[in-house]
Amino acid sequence: MSKTTKVTVAHGDGIGPEIMDATLRILDAAGANLEYDRIEIGEKVYKSGYETGISPESWEKIRDNKYFLKAPITTPQGGGFKSLNVTIRKSLGLFSNVRPCRTYPPYVPSNFPHMDIVIVRENEEDLYAGIEHQQTNEVVQTLKLISRPGSEKIIRYAFEYARAYGRKKVTCMTKDNIMKHADGLFHSVFKEVAKEYPEIEADHWIIDIGSAVVANRPESLDVVVTLNLYGDIISDIAAEVAGSVGLGGSANVGMDHAMFEAIHGSAPDIAGKNIANPSGLLNGAIMMLVQLGKADVAERIQNAWLKTLEDGIHTGEIYRANRSKERVGTREFADAVIARLGECPLKLKAVKYKEGVTIDVKLSEPVQKEKSLCGVDVYIDWADEGRNADVFGKAIESIDNDNLELKVISNRGVLVYPGGMKETFKSDHWRCRFSAKEGKTVNNGDVLNLMSAVNEKGFDFIKMDNLYNFDGERGYSLSQGE
Ligand code: NAD
């Protein structure tokens, strides 16, 4: 028997308690030999006064035990409640969200019988930093932050995963035709890292057409690596296309900790009725067993689960009168899996996990480029004079600075001065780009002097971004039309 391992377990909200009971019964019956350190998280905890949805004692257990099996929770709407899922992933450095999505033809209906993809989603960065500000009456900003080490970690993880599990191709998806710096960084790191894995094919799709490929030609994909938001969206598309959101498991993996869950939510519409499919959480738990070095138990459970599907024992959302044999509830489905422990599927491909698979990610040495200040973008809230860009532009141009001069003004990214078009819509949010005068160098002191002068002229500045070159290469985007 494998050694006893303590893992943290949370039963969550909605269908969480039902699917967790079913999953733990199967793990115990299969001899997983786990000790459960139970914690309460989610709706009740939010409502008892913890805006994060978790108490400090529960945090300690998660940190001590390192492995966490979590049922879905409900985040209450409004009221400043933060998503506990995002908080846990980021606080514990769970940088990689791995979501396998495959089909089980003909037992679970899907248009794509050979689909078998793994989405590796970056889990800590991107718009999920949740840094948002209302800056003017009309404009709200969300910051998208992408780092080189964050990109390298997840991209290496995807290639290491492909190598460890015998996958043939890694596809990167970004929107670097528009976000040339943020998504461009991710894509360029992908190209660098791919060279170190010559045996694995590497390609890239722009995310919009890439999502269409996930929806329409998923059989052409193998491992997909992408940024946080795109990964969030395409993994739900992939799960749905594979047949049901109720089937997919998900691993959130960091250097020291890992959290395993179903990809679906707490499904309050079907809670307490014994009709939810426990397979998503069970598949998450199977990924946990593999990572805990209990590959034999993982294999035993997954093969029994495949045999259950194959025998036509189905929960309501995948039950079809013409292909299923028996429509069962959550508890009965778990009983059916337990009854088949030790059996393998006859038509679906049985799984075989290698023992001792570890995925090690080592980052390359950071390269220090020379950073030089070359200008500043000053954002101003202005809605006077019928928002006439020429009136505004001339007033801003008259601001005096020894080393910086106005270059262009844009509004929501489009050039409006000098030489803008009168048709362009103008919000109350103006970006004034100042660059170093010919032959001058600039420093932060020049920026401070400029900001004072903007203030003295009576303009309401709302933020500024310094403009830098790195090793002489422009580190900022141009305005549309600049
Ligand atoms: P959901 O995934 O809970 O439900 C979407 C639909 O799929 C519903 O019709 C539901 O009945 C069905 N469904 C989901 N899981 C199923 C299962 N196991 N078996 C059968 N049918 C299943 O998504 P939602 O309704 O958008 O969200 C409900 C709540 O879940 C929200 O509060 C949301 O914040 C939360 N949520 C939590 C997590 C998480 O904890 N990881 C993830 C997503 C959503």
Side-chain angles (χ1 to χ4, degrees), residues 277-291:
N277 190 342
S279 300
L281 187 60
L282 182 65
N283 278 318
I286 289 169
M287 293 163 90
M288 177 175 80
L289 292 174
V290 174
Q291 198 150 336

Side-chain angles (χ1 to χ4, degrees), residues 167-468:
R167 299 268 173 171
K168 305 273 177 290
K169 183 167 80 167
V170 179
T171 302
C172 174
M173 294 196 189
T174 71
K175 187 78 185 167
D176 66 340
N177 54 335
I178 301 296
M179 282 159 278
K180 298 195 161 94
H181 291 265
D183 289 32
L185 172 63
F186 195 86
H187 188 182
S188 70
V189 173
F190 176 78
K191 285 193 270 191
E192 283 166 28
V193 172
K195 287 191 196 131
E196 296 174 34
Y197 298 82
E199 78 282 15
I200 297 168
E201 188 186 335
D203 64 0
H204 173 262
W205 286 100
I206 297 286
I207 185 65
D208 34 8
I209 187 64
S211 310
V213 173
V214 173
N216 209 24
R217 275 192 291 128
E219 289 156 319
S220 67
L221 298 167
D222 193 345
V223 175
V224 177
V225 64
T226 189
L227 298 118
N228 204 340
L229 177 64
Y230 310 143
D232 197 1
I233 296 169
I234 64 166
S235 53
D236 271 27
I237 299 175
E240 196 60 33
V241 163
S244 164
V245 284
L247 296 182
S250 154
N252 297 273
V253 185
M255 301 293 191
D256 295 317
H257 292 78
M259 173 171 80
F260 302 85
E261 53 185 345
I263 67 160
H264 59 74
S266 56
D269 52 334
I270 57 167
K273 298 180 178 160
N274 189 41
I275 56 176
N277 190 342
S279 300
L281 187 60
L282 182 65
N283 278 318
I286 289 169
M287 293 163 90
M288 177 175 80
L289 292 174
V290 174
Q291 198 150 336
L292 284 171
K294 295 174 186 262
D296 53 336
V297 190
E299 214 170 275
R300 205 166 128 74
I301 297 176
Q302 195 150 33
N303 285 329
W305 175 74
L306 289 168
K307 183 74 167 61
T308 310
L309 285 186
E310 197 177 271
D311 287 346
I313 315 288
H314 294 164
T315 45
E317 92 294 1
I318 57 168
Y319 178 87
R320 299 288 180 280
N322 58 343
R323 324 168 178 240
S324 310
K325 286 218 183 72
E326 203 183 328
R327 181 185 191 125
V328 291
T330 314
R331 279 191 294 276
E332 296 70 28
F333 184 82
D335 292 338
V337 176
I338 291 168
R340 287 165 179 76
L341 285 168
E343 293 183 45
C344 278
L346 302 174
K347 305 226 172 67
L348 291 169
K349 196 166 166 244
V351 292
K352 181 93 198 110
Y353 289 112
K354 275 194 277 178
E355 284 292 345
V357 172
T358 50
I359 297 181
D360 211 8
V361 172
K362 288 202 180 57
L363 294 187
S364 48
E365 284 298 310
V367 178
Q368 286 303 324
K369 294 187 176 175
E370 194 182 313
K371 172 176 148 187
S372 56
L373 184 68
C374 56
V376 59
D377 280 345
V378 181
Y379 291 79
I380 292 176
D381 180 351
W382 190 75
D384 302 339
E385 310 272 354
R387 306 184 184 198
N388 184 312
D390 285 331
V391 172
F392 181 66
K394 289 198 167 64
I396 297 292
E397 220 158 32
S398 70
I399 293 171
D400 198 31
N401 186 277
D402 287 346
N403 295 328
L404 287 160
E405 64 187 358
L406 181 72
K407 188 147 182 259
V408 289
I409 298 176
S410 62
N411 194 298
R412 295 181 310 157
V414 185
L415 181 143
V416 291
Y417 181 86
M421 295 184 197
K422 72 176 182 344
E423 292 87 345
T424 306
F425 174 80
K426 282 124 195 146
S427 72
D428 54 3
H429 188 274
W430 304 75
R431 178 179 63 164
C432 307
R433 172 159 292 175
F434 291 84
S435 299
K437 288 179 178 169
E438 186 72 37
K440 301 279 189 177
T441 53
V442 286
N443 58 34
N444 279 339
D446 296 305
V447 173
L448 286 175
N449 290 339
L450 178 74
M451 298 307 287
S452 292
V454 169
N455 188 40
E456 275 158 28
K457 280 261 181 186
F459 285 108
D460 177 11
F461 64 81
I462 46 184
K463 75 164 204 151
M464 43 136 316
D465 285 319
N466 280 353
L467 306 179
Y468 296 105

